[in-house]
Amino acid sequence: MTSSEEEWGTPELDYPEEHPLHGRLNLNRFIFCAGCLIGTAITSITTCLVERGLTPKDYAIVSGIGCTGRTSGCFKAPAFHATHGRAIPFATGLKLANPDLEVFVLSGDGDLFAIGGNHFVHACRRNIEINVLCNNNGIYGMTGGQLAPTTSIGDFTSTSPYGNIEPPFNLVSLAAAAGASFVARWPGYDTLRLRESIFKAMDNPGFSFIEILAPCFTQYGRKNKLGDAVKMLEWLREQVVIDKDCPPHEAEYSHEKRRIVCGEFVNNPREGFTQKIKRLRETAQSRRK
Amino acid sequence: MLNSKRTPMLDPPRADKEYKIKVYSEICDGCELCVEFCPCDVLEIDMDNFNSRMLHYVKVIALDKCTGCKQCERICPTVSIMVIERDVPQEDD
């Protein structure tokens, strides 16, 4: 420790010791912009785990790179900050090595679908028992507001100053088509329905995917002149339509048409990958005898 | 809205409970999400005081209006607001 550090002390805030979630969260590591719904996603997961009675030994969090990738530092639990786009492969390894662990992947749209799109599709196909929560803000927030694969047509970003011409991914349709057994989409402010879906995802014996709409007001809102955090949530609420019986290929996601269909689209529990591995191991060992 | 056949997700407010709102001012960012989402206008940003990070934090202005829906607690991105409920102490006749 250098002399200046001794003089000024460690640059950490003192946080209240009597906080109910003090044992679960690093309350001084919430480094997100004031009003960003990433923090709401973290607290939703944590309160669901607390309500289920799981201790930090029973679950693990994996996150990738980006704004939402920084969330792994917020958990006082086995949390891993994986390399860019490789959050799902690390989670797959964790789940295969310890099938009793409840594994959550909390990452952004740029991490899971731009560089890690291949891993996502194959995890859906395998139906491995991990819960993937994608924080979709439609832009690369941390790196300076570049065009992401989830940016809607006509949106302005720093790499599309005349408007985006590429059609975006519909994450719900993609996950359902690839074979995920639980698929939902909720706006980040709709915390009650989001928590219900997190409980269902934890119960589901297979791959669960929840898309959380968390608009980025620092980059996306500034480039598209949509105002601050509260104004952007109002802008989002005008577009959101809740339809629980909608088939996943009709779940529209378009800021251009001002229509985003939210709900639970797939709930089709089937045998997961670790169960199949267990069965395969038993048959192989019985044949050897 | 009144013709809706959906079952409500929250319990109705109870008369035999009273609520207290605890604000952890050190970790509050002053993002105003709880102020906007509160249906009864219980909260307000305190423009006179600030915490050690030089940010104005939220304060409770009308606790008697609180119905205990806990929307502020769920929406808060920094877990800096908590709603504590307890039974109303019964008065002796």
Side-chain angles (χ1 to χ4, degrees), chain A residues 144-223:
Chain A
Q146 289 91 349
L147 187 71
T150 45
T151 311
S152 270
I153 295 175
D155 285 353
F156 299 99
T157 64
S158 56
T159 47
S160 64
Y162 303 105
N164 179 23
I165 53 168
E166 303 171 11
F169 268 140
N170 190 335
L171 307 184
V172 164
S173 306
L174 178 68
S181 55
F182 180 84
V183 179
R185 175 195 280 154
W186 293 115
Y189 60 78
D190 205 342
T191 44
L192 272 173
R193 293 194 178 91
L194 175 62
R195 281 171 199 213
E196 270 191 358
S197 282
I198 292 173
F199 279 130
K200 283 183 189 170
M202 281 154 73
D203 290 335
N204 176 36
F207 189 88
S208 313
F209 174 67
I210 303 173
E211 180 186 353
I212 304 168
L213 303 173
C216 174
F217 57 94
T218 305
Q219 299 286 356
Y220 189 93
R222 185 166 62 93
K223 297 269 165 37

Side-chain angles (χ1 to χ4, degrees), chain A:
Chain A
M1 190 181 276
T2 58
S3 59
S4 64
E5 278 179 9
E6 277 169 10
E7 213 169 59
W8 290 95
T10 48
E12 278 188 343
L13 286 169
D14 53 337
Y15 47 84
E17 295 279 333
E18 75 273 14
H19 196 285
L21 293 177
H22 177 248
R24 305 294 183 121
L25 292 172
N26 284 320
L27 294 169
N28 54 348
R29 298 272 175 85
F30 281 73
I31 46 145
F32 313 107
C33 310
C36 184
L37 290 176
I38 293 174
T40 310
I42 297 171
T43 52
S44 295
I45 293 176
T46 315
T47 44
C48 284
L49 290 165
V50 171
E51 278 180 37
R52 270 292 155 93
L54 296 176
T55 56
K57 284 179 185 172
D58 303 331
Y59 59 92
I61 315 285
V62 184
S63 70
I65 299 293
C67 281
T68 324
R70 299 295 292 268
T71 52
S72 56
C74 299
F75 290 96
K76 267 187 194 169
F80 194 76
H81 198 168
T83 45
H84 194 4
R86 273 66 180 166
I88 290 179
F90 279 102
T92 306
L94 262 175
K95 187 70 189 178
L96 285 177
N98 186 358
D100 298 330
L101 209 63
E102 188 73 50
V103 180
F104 276 90
V105 174
L106 178 55
S107 204
D109 54 314
D111 182 74
L112 283 175
F113 291 94
I115 192 167
N118 187 20
H119 299 301
F120 178 81
V121 171
H122 286 280
C124 286
R125 179 178 63 87
R126 284 189 197 111
N127 197 25
I128 179 139
E129 297 96 321
I130 56 176
N131 310 314
V132 176
L133 278 80
C134 175
N135 224 316
N136 186 2
N137 52 14
I139 204 165
Y140 290 139
M142 184 178 274
T143 51
Q146 289 91 349
L147 187 71
T150 45
T151 311
S152 270
I153 295 175
D155 285 353
F156 299 99
T157 64
S158 56
T159 47
S160 64
Y162 303 105
N164 179 23
I165 53 168
E166 303 171 11
F169 268 140
N170 190 335
L171 307 184
V172 164
S173 306
L174 178 68
S181 55
F182 180 84
V183 179
R185 175 195 280 154
W186 293 115
Y189 60 78
D190 205 342
T191 44
L192 272 173
R193 293 194 178 91
L194 175 62
R195 281 171 199 213
E196 270 191 358
S197 282
I198 292 173
F199 279 130
K200 283 183 189 170
M202 281 154 73
D203 290 335
N204 176 36
F207 189 88
S208 313
F209 174 67
I210 303 173
E211 180 186 353
I212 304 168
L213 303 173
C216 174
F217 57 94
T218 305
Q219 299 286 356
Y220 189 93
R222 185 166 62 93
K223 297 269 165 37
N224 292 284
K225 297 192 171 52
L226 293 169
D228 62 355
V230 174
K231 278 183 186 164
M232 271 203 89
L233 289 185
E234 279 171 9
W235 166 81
L236 181 67
R237 195 176 59 187
E238 286 165 9
Q239 306 176 35
V240 164
V241 180
I242 293 175
D243 187 357
K244 288 197 172 183
D245 303 324
C246 183
H249 59 275
E250 289 175 10
E252 270 187 282
Y253 176 83
S254 172
H255 292 310
E256 192 195 13
K257 289 183 192 168
R258 300 186 68 71
R259 183 176 164 84
I260 301 171
V261 181
C262 290
E264 285 169 10
F265 302 104
V266 180
N267 195 351
N268 176 26
R270 55 198 164 89
E271 195 182 22
F273 188 59
T274 55
Q275 297 295 323
K276 283 181 185 168
I277 287 252
K278 198 181 167 190
R279 220 151 30 87
L280 185 72
R281 191 179 289 139
E282 282 166 4
T283 51
Q285 282 171 351
S286 64
R287 268 183 208 166
R288 193 179 287 169
K289 286 168 191 170

